[in-house]
Amino acid sequence: MPGTPHADEPHVPLPVEIPVTESIADDAPDLKTQIVRFVLTGGLSAVVDFGLYVLMLALGLPRDIAKAIGFIAGTTTAYLINRRWTFKAEPNRARFVAVVVLYAVTFAVQVGLNAVMNDVFPDEWWRIPLAFVIAQGTATVINFVVQRAVIFKIGR
């Protein structure tokens, strides 16, 4: 029967969701509201990212591995909050796949820029936080533009 899953077809689960409310099908907020919410969510996510990054460095992990762990935790936090609160988008497998691809690109940008900035800047107390801010800021701009223009338009 068309549209009915077959036993031989693999089941792809929906991404993990924050159980805030059952229906979020309200109209998407305007650009200003989206920017404010994205920045607030990004701030929280950056705290998660940087906090884990510094913790992992203190535990002796290599810089790039520590940054990767922080990035994954921070971007997961950002996606879950932005999908529901910033862009008010329903769960969608195509959107989730697009986010994974976007985060893979911004992962490379963020970890790469962080590594380059850490190698370029002198060994001073401000090197790690400044490199982090430059890498995070660049990734944040890329994420907002692509999420607003493409990803959270999927399925609408």
Side-chain angles (χ1 to χ4, degrees):
M1 187 185 282
T4 305
H6 299 279
D8 59 342
E9 291 180 5
H11 172 70
V12 179
L14 285 171
V16 176
E17 298 297 330
I18 299 173
V20 176
T21 179
E22 288 300 313
S23 176
I24 56 167
D26 303 336
D27 293 334
D30 62 18
L31 176 61
K32 181 180 175 184
T33 302
Q34 286 180 341
I35 290 172
V36 169
R37 289 178 178 186
F38 194 85
V39 168
L40 290 172
T41 300
L44 172 64
S45 300
V47 168
V48 170
D49 185 342
F50 189 68
L52 280 174
Y53 175 47
V54 171
L55 177 63
M56 297 296 113
L57 288 174
L59 293 174
L61 265 67
R63 178 190 67 210
D64 293 344
I65 292 172
K67 184 66 190 99
I69 291 168
F71 177 85
I72 290 167
T75 54
T76 299
T77 301
Y79 170 74
L80 292 173
I81 296 170
N82 279 326
R83 190 196 63 75
R84 280 209 163 296
W85 186 51
T86 305
F87 298 107
K88 293 195 175 218
E90 295 291 339
N92 178 298
R93 284 185 187 92
R95 179 182 302 116
F96 182 72
V97 169
V99 166
V100 169
V101 171
L102 172 62
Y103 282 174
V105 170
T106 56
F107 173 80
V109 168
Q110 194 176 105
V111 172
L113 267 176
N114 187 67
V116 168
M117 296 296 106
N118 269 285
D119 291 341
V120 169
F121 295 142
D123 190 11
E124 297 289 336
W125 67 268
W126 47 263
R127 180 183 69 193
I128 288 174
L130 182 59
F132 177 88
V133 167
I134 291 169
Q136 180 73 30
T138 303
T140 297
V141 170
I142 293 168
N143 274 330
F144 181 78
V145 170
V146 174
Q147 286 182 35
R148 185 170 198 282
V150 178
I151 291 174
F152 289 106
K153 300 281 188 199
I154 294 172
R156 285 212 171 185

